[in-house]
């Protein structure tokens, strides 16, 4: 007989399948279709495994980073994806996402609700070494996709290298080697006419 705990867990697992339907602004390098949030989260998890050696603090808990990147966008099932350069969308983003987190994570048994909420909030605050590394990857991945798709989302009005640099600035202290690469990609993007200076 299925327990109430397992029933809650399975309901949550079915609910988060909706993440596959949340499209992002970035396009994939292969098919050039918009990526979805589930693909983005998977990509970040693999990046965390591969790039962990570049974290400034090598005592980083990479399993925790992977957990964060896998759940950080689950709230977008209810809150929707907010484009990182959409100033209007950011006005109520925190409120929308907190409501979504309450709705979604409370589907789980209490102990797992607290764990998910704690990981999600830690990621949002970007203060711990794990959250800062996870946030760095979250900001680097769209840049990497943009660079490899002729600056697809950078072609929108108002997107400049200054905005892209500001968005990825967290890497400067936390993952300096990666930040050097980010600066190089941005410079190349300007030179190739994919990104406005």
């Amino acid at each position: 007989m299925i327990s109430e705990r397992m029933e809650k867990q399975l309901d949550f697992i079915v609910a988060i399948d909706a993440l596959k339907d949340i499209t992002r602004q970035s396009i994939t390098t292969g098919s050039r279709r918009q990526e979805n949030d589930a693909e983005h989260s998977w990509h970040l998890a693999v990046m965390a495994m591969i790039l962990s050696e570049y974290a400034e603090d090598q005592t980083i808990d990479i399993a925790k980073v992977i957990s964060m990147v896998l759940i950080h966008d689950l709230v977008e099932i209810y809150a929707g994806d907010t484009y990182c350069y959409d100033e209007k969308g950011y006005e109520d983003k925190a409120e929308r996402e907190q409501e979504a987190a309450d709705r979604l994570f409370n589907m789980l048994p209490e102990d797992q609700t607290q764990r998910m909420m704690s990981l999600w909030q830690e990621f949002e605050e970007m203060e711990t070494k794990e959250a800062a590394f996870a946030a760095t990857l979250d900001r680097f991945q769209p840049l990497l996709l943009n660079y490899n798709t002729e600056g697809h989302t950078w072609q929108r009005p108002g997107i400049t290298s200054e905005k892209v640099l500001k968005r990825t600035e967290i890497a400067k202290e936390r993952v300096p080697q990666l930040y050097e690469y980010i600066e190089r990609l941005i410079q190349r993007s300007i030179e190739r006419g994919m990104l406005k200076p």
Side-chain angles (χ1 to χ4, degrees):
M1 184 168 145
I2 190 168
S3 67
E4 181 183 344
R5 178 179 178 85
M6 185 183 283
E7 194 166 338
K8 286 182 174 184
Q9 292 166 328
L10 293 173
D11 286 346
F12 176 82
I13 288 167
V14 170
I16 65 169
D17 187 62
L19 196 66
K20 299 172 187 174
D21 295 322
I22 307 300
T23 56
R24 294 174 48 81
Q25 302 302 313
S26 298
I27 59 173
T28 64
T29 59
S31 64
R32 303 298 171 112
R33 65 168 173 76
Q34 284 181 278
E35 72 170 341
N36 66 49
D37 266 354
E39 292 167 324
H40 168 69
S41 298
W42 160 81
H43 209 186
L44 295 181
V46 175
M47 289 172 68
M49 292 168 54
I50 302 297
L51 300 175
S52 62
E53 65 190 81
Y54 301 106
E56 186 69 2
D57 186 336
Q58 283 298 294
T59 64
I60 195 166
D61 180 349
I62 204 63
K64 188 175 188 182
V65 172
I66 291 170
S67 296
M68 281 184 195
V69 298
L70 287 174
I71 70 152
H72 81 289
D73 275 345
L74 288 178
V75 296
E76 293 184 3
I77 291 169
Y78 300 128
D81 177 58
T82 305
Y83 180 48
C84 63
Y85 301 111
D86 177 4
E87 293 173 17
K88 180 81 172 146
Y90 264 76
E91 289 176 6
D92 67 344
K93 179 180 183 283
E95 182 181 311
R96 283 184 290 113
E97 290 190 349
Q98 183 62 61
E99 288 173 10
D102 292 340
R103 179 179 171 191
L104 184 66
F105 297 142
N106 277 306
M107 293 178 71
L108 287 163
E110 180 60 29
D111 62 312
Q112 291 181 323
T113 294
Q114 290 176 7
R115 173 78 174 137
M116 291 288 216
M117 193 69 80
S118 175
L119 281 169
W120 177 74
Q121 288 171 335
E122 184 176 340
F123 175 87
E124 290 296 310
E125 292 165 2
M126 297 187 294
E127 291 178 7
T128 65
K129 59 190 172 189
E130 287 81 13
F133 187 66
T136 293
L137 298 176
D138 186 43
R139 284 151 177 73
F140 176 56
Q141 189 258 5
L143 183 151
L144 200 54
L145 292 184
N146 265 300
Y147 182 77
N148 287 282
T149 57
E150 288 79 45
H152 174 75
T153 58
W154 293 337
Q155 302 305 310
R156 296 179 182 188
I159 308 304
T160 64
S161 58
E162 183 181 338
K163 285 186 178 182
V164 177
L165 271 171
K166 184 173 183 188
R167 175 94 178 133
T168 56
E169 194 171 38
I170 190 168
K172 195 172 196 174
E173 283 184 32
R174 302 301 184 113
V175 198
Q177 286 181 278
L178 191 57
Y179 189 72
E180 286 177 30
Y181 186 73
I182 288 169
E183 289 181 310
R184 203 170 345 157
L185 282 188
I186 290 172
Q187 187 56 44
R188 286 182 193 160
S189 298
I190 294 167
E191 290 165 4
R192 291 172 53 188
M194 299 188 308
L195 182 60
K196 296 179 185 86

